[in-house]
Amino acid sequence: MAEKAKGKMEQAKGKAKEVAGKVTGNERMQAEGKTDQVKGKGHEAANKAKEQARGVKDSLRDRRQP
């Protein structure tokens, strides 16, 4: 759950930076914001993959036990 929150927070931070960059005309800040959003989405995707792998592992373990 904490990993999911990290991804969401990274995306929110990135969106805020992007908007601030647009408002102030700071292209670098705007680009950093977009990068932060992509990082956040990456964190979420990685966490989802871990959860799915854990589910498959548990499923296979349950099948082996008599």
Side-chain angles (χ1 to χ4, degrees):
M1 184 67 176
E3 290 297 318
K4 186 175 182 180
K6 279 185 184 179
K8 290 287 185 192
M9 288 299 295
E10 189 81 28
Q11 289 180 57
K13 179 180 83 169
K15 189 64 176 174
K17 264 187 176 177
E18 181 183 4
V19 170
K22 282 182 183 179
V23 169
T24 62
N26 186 334
E27 292 179 7
R28 182 176 179 184
M29 184 183 286
Q30 190 175 352
E32 286 177 6
K34 288 181 181 181
T35 300
D36 289 345
Q37 289 178 66
V38 171
K39 285 181 188 177
K41 289 179 183 178
H43 283 296
E44 282 188 312
N47 187 50
K48 185 176 181 179
K50 284 180 188 178
E51 288 176 5
Q52 288 176 340
R54 194 174 303 125
V56 169
K57 179 182 169 186
D58 291 345
S59 174
L60 291 173
R61 183 179 32 198
D62 291 344
R63 285 185 179 177
R64 285 190 292 175
Q65 294 178 354

